[in-house]
Amino acid sequence: MTMALFTQKINPKPWITNEAAKRLKMRFRQLLGLILIFLGTALFSLLISYNSEDPSFRNATNQPAKNFLGQFGSYFADPLHLGLGFASFSFSVFFIIWGWRFLTNRGCNQFIRRMVFAPLAISTLAMFFAAH
């Protein structure tokens, strides 16, 4: 085996070019941004339409759910309202803001770092609203 054949086996050709990889990564981030914005608006709509008389884990009724997302929304919104109160809306704000940041490609590299501190901020906000 000659040296020329040996170097070709070590450095294989990439499947896609660097330019295509950058574009694919950017499109994936934009898709993630759209998904986060959709999740944020869906979460906001189920929290804003919360009704304590809807069927949930702590309330068994035969009435249909009045929540915008139906029975799923009522089962999901009840523990959030009970546990966090008005601070539960910060989840939807968090998703919408980060979805916008991914969509516009601004500060995407800090997502994991900021996501670590998001529960601390949300719990502090819940304590603030409970105290006032």
Side-chain angles (χ1 to χ4, degrees), residues 88-130:
S88 60
F89 286 97
S90 61
F91 282 115
S92 62
V93 171
F94 178 79
F95 285 145
I96 291 171
I97 288 173
W98 274 103
W100 180 256
R101 289 184 79 163
F102 274 112
L103 200 59
T104 60
N105 203 18
R106 294 183 185 165
C108 300
N109 53 356
Q110 299 174 356
F111 179 68
I112 299 295
R113 196 176 326 152
R114 299 263 172 96
M115 206 164 119
V116 168
F117 292 108
L120 179 66
I122 291 170
S123 62
T124 304
L125 188 63
M127 286 187 291
F128 174 77
F129 283 145

Side-chain angles (χ1 to χ4, degrees), residues 44-111:
F44 184 79
S45 68
L46 72 88
L47 287 172
I48 202 76
S49 64
Y50 169 72
N51 188 357
S52 62
E53 298 173 359
D54 280 348
S56 63
F57 292 115
R58 65 181 184 101
N59 189 16
T61 63
N62 290 333
Q63 299 174 352
K66 299 171 190 161
N67 199 303
F68 288 152
L69 295 178
Q71 194 168 0
F72 171 77
S74 66
Y75 274 91
F76 198 79
D78 190 48
L80 282 175
H81 269 284
L82 286 176
L84 297 173
F86 282 121
S88 60
F89 286 97
S90 61
F91 282 115
S92 62
V93 171
F94 178 79
F95 285 145
I96 291 171
I97 288 173
W98 274 103
W100 180 256
R101 289 184 79 163
F102 274 112
L103 200 59
T104 60
N105 203 18
R106 294 183 185 165
C108 300
N109 53 356
Q110 299 174 356
F111 179 68

Side-chain angles (χ1 to χ4, degrees), residues 6-7 17 19 24 29 37 43-44 60 77 95 107-108 111 114 124 131:
F6 186 69
T7 58
T17 63
E19 178 78 19
L24 189 62
R29 284 183 176 171
I37 288 173
L43 185 63
F44 184 79
F95 285 145
C108 300
F111 179 68
R114 299 263 172 96
T124 304

